[in-house]
Amino acid sequence: MTSAISIGISGLAGWRVLQRTETRQIEATAKDPVIQRATAYFRENLTSETTAADLVGDYKMLQVALAAFGLEDDLPNKAFIRKVLDSDTGDSKSLANRLSDKRYLKLAKEFQNLADTEATSNMVAEAYVQQQFQKRVGEGNEAYRLALNARKELQGFAARTSSDRTMWYEVMANETLREVFEGAFGFSSSIANLSVDRQLDEFMSASDRILGTSSFAEMSKPEVTDKLITRYLALSQMQTSVSSNRYSAALALLSR
């Protein structure tokens, strides 16, 4: 695959450059021969008869499917993924529904309804390219990868009918999305030591105070999402600068 996507500058200035060049960068990612082969293989082998066992048993197909949903780290956990795919998505007590990270439920739903394999293939291929783009951005700047992921996830929340409290629980269970909110709200890692309900109250209170809303219908609006990401990147850059200055100061003292 191609090398990491490097913007050349960091912080908010680099984020603005990334936004301006994003479409071109995604197109370049999609044209990568390795990615083209991966998506072509998936398209060629997905049929309306594809079962959970078929998908889990085909490493190449599974890698594309999981990566499309941001679950590539679960590639070695085939038995677990098989159980997720075989879950009854209509049963609130099934594994896919009980998992707090709802990406697994989305995965199960997508591959339990393969009546229109072309639509599924197109969706998975597009999502796979997006994830590979984010991955390459992350190799150059991890904060930008997290910001891109947060923007995408919040866009998806816009069409949801779940309650805001339910979606906040999902944010808290989604490691990459949670990191952006924690960073934007100035939370330390110690917040994880609080009870889940207390954490929820803290997240919602901070969102109302900083973003002006704790409603995902509002947060999914471009201007509010941009406010969240801008604050996250600004505070992230400040922390990086402080750490760098401390390191430089320590080196100066040691060199005396």
Side-chain angles (χ1 to χ4, degrees), residues 11 15 18 137-150 179-180 229 232-234 236-237 240:
W15 172 247
L18 177 60
V137 169
E139 290 172 357
N141 188 308
E142 177 65 2
Y144 291 163
R145 182 187 75 83
L146 294 174
L148 287 168
N149 176 74
E179 188 169 342
V180 171
I229 291 174
Y232 162 68
L233 292 174
S236 176
Q237 186 176 24
T240 300

Side-chain angles (χ1 to χ4, degrees), residues 84-207:
V84 169
L85 292 170
D86 282 333
S87 293
D88 181 354
T89 58
D91 181 0
S92 62
K93 296 181 180 179
S94 68
L95 176 62
N97 275 299
R98 286 189 289 108
L99 291 169
S100 54
D101 188 338
K102 296 308 175 185
R103 289 178 297 177
Y104 294 104
L105 180 59
K106 294 176 184 176
L107 175 73
K109 286 182 175 179
E110 194 63 42
F111 287 97
Q112 286 181 10
N113 182 18
L114 294 175
D116 188 344
T117 54
E118 182 177 359
T120 299
S121 293
N122 289 339
M123 185 283 294
V124 171
E126 182 179 345
Y128 178 73
V129 170
Q130 287 282 347
Q131 288 290 338
Q132 294 305 308
F133 163 67
Q134 290 182 20
K135 183 178 180 180
R136 294 177 181 194
V137 169
E139 290 172 357
N141 188 308
E142 177 65 2
Y144 291 163
R145 182 187 75 83
L146 294 174
L148 287 168
N149 176 74
R151 189 187 64 186
K152 177 179 178 294
E153 291 289 340
L154 288 174
Q155 288 171 348
F157 280 11
R160 298 278 301 279
T161 57
S162 302
S163 70
D164 284 319
R165 291 180 69 86
T166 295
M167 288 190 279
W168 272 112
Y169 280 124
E170 292 179 28
V171 167
M172 290 160 54
N174 186 320
E175 184 178 342
T176 52
L177 187 54
R178 176 180 178 129
E179 188 169 342
V180 171
F181 277 92
E182 283 189 348
F185 296 163
F187 290 160
S188 69
S189 58
S190 62
I191 192 175
N193 297 327
L194 301 175
S195 69
V196 175
D197 287 340
R198 175 65 187 283
Q199 289 182 52
L200 175 64
D201 290 340
E202 293 294 331
F203 272 95
M204 293 185 72
S205 175
S207 187

